[in-house]
Amino acid sequence: VPPVREGTTAGRLLERRGGDGGYMVIVQTDDLAADREGIDELGIRVVWQVKLSDAATMHLHPRDVGAAILSFDQMTPPESWRWAGPDWKKHVRADGARAIVGAELQSPDPAALAARWGQVFARKPVGRGDGSLEIPLDAGTLRFVRASDGRGEGVGGIDIAVPDPAAALARAKARGLRVSGD
């Protein structure tokens, strides 16, 4: 979802990365106040926050965490998602995406980026056999890889859980989308 006006942090991130792509990683939390305490202890700037009756969020400055705007969001009740609108559940398809379960962040120095995000989440990055690192979350994974597409540091991809991966890949190919691996 791109910004609708000029001069936004998200717009600058997209410009720096050469156009369309991810610029934000959103994680759902059940204790935003505790997360905020940890963020404050690390000296990370909060660039936007809001507290509503059914949702609260804080966006962290991308220069303080690296690669993207990191957003911690708490929904009440947890299974709701205000940002998707009141009727989003009516549009869920049985054969469609079940959840976003991972984000890939690329950097010229993935170890340093993973270390910083590890501080934010109070979790130690784990090395993978392919040279990348990951931070397991409660319901997903953050993966840190070397930037290799010429776009520099940022969100390189997302992992989506689907009921039938082969069918999802076939639909993507039929629509002319770039598919690599699974």
Side-chain angles (χ1 to χ4, degrees):
V1 179
V4 294
R5 66 180 193 274
E6 297 290 321
T8 65
T9 301
R12 287 187 295 276
L13 282 169
L14 291 173
E15 286 172 18
R16 227 178 353 264
R17 292 197 30 90
D20 287 345
Y23 61 85
M24 180 180 276
V25 173
I26 302 171
V27 294
Q28 188 167 353
T29 182
D30 58 2
D31 193 347
L32 188 62
D35 293 325
R36 178 63 191 256
E37 286 180 24
I39 297 306
D40 289 344
E41 288 174 12
L42 291 169
I44 295 173
R45 293 172 285 175
V46 174
V47 294
W48 186 73
Q49 62 187 338
V50 68
K51 183 167 177 45
L52 306 168
S53 62
D54 59 344
T57 186
M58 67 175 170
H59 293 183
L60 307 184
H61 200 297
R63 288 194 183 166
D64 293 350
V65 295
I69 298 168
L70 176 55
S71 178
F72 285 81
D73 294 53
Q74 183 173 356
M75 299 294 133
T76 306
E79 63 276 3
S80 68
W81 197 253
R82 176 187 185 89
W83 317 133
D87 298 326
W88 70 270
K89 289 184 180 182
K90 292 179 188 176
H91 302 285
V92 174
R93 293 176 29 180
D95 64 341
R98 294 284 182 245
I100 298 174
V101 295
E104 181 176 279
L105 298 151
Q106 57 184 27
S107 171
D109 188 350
L113 184 61
R116 182 59 167 163
W117 283 58
Q119 288 177 318
V120 172
F121 285 98
R123 296 180 185 212
K124 186 173 174 63
V126 178
R128 296 169 36 128
D130 61 3
S132 65
L133 296 112
E134 67 182 18
I135 297 174
L137 302 175
D138 295 343
T141 303
L142 298 172
R143 192 172 50 258
F144 301 85
V145 302
R146 182 159 307 282
S148 62
D149 63 3
R151 298 181 69 196
E153 188 170 271
V155 177
I158 58 172
D159 300 335
I160 303 172
V162 295
D164 185 347
L169 290 170
R171 284 193 303 272
K173 288 177 185 175
R175 292 184 175 127
L177 300 173
R178 184 174 59 95
V179 174
S180 174
D182 63 358

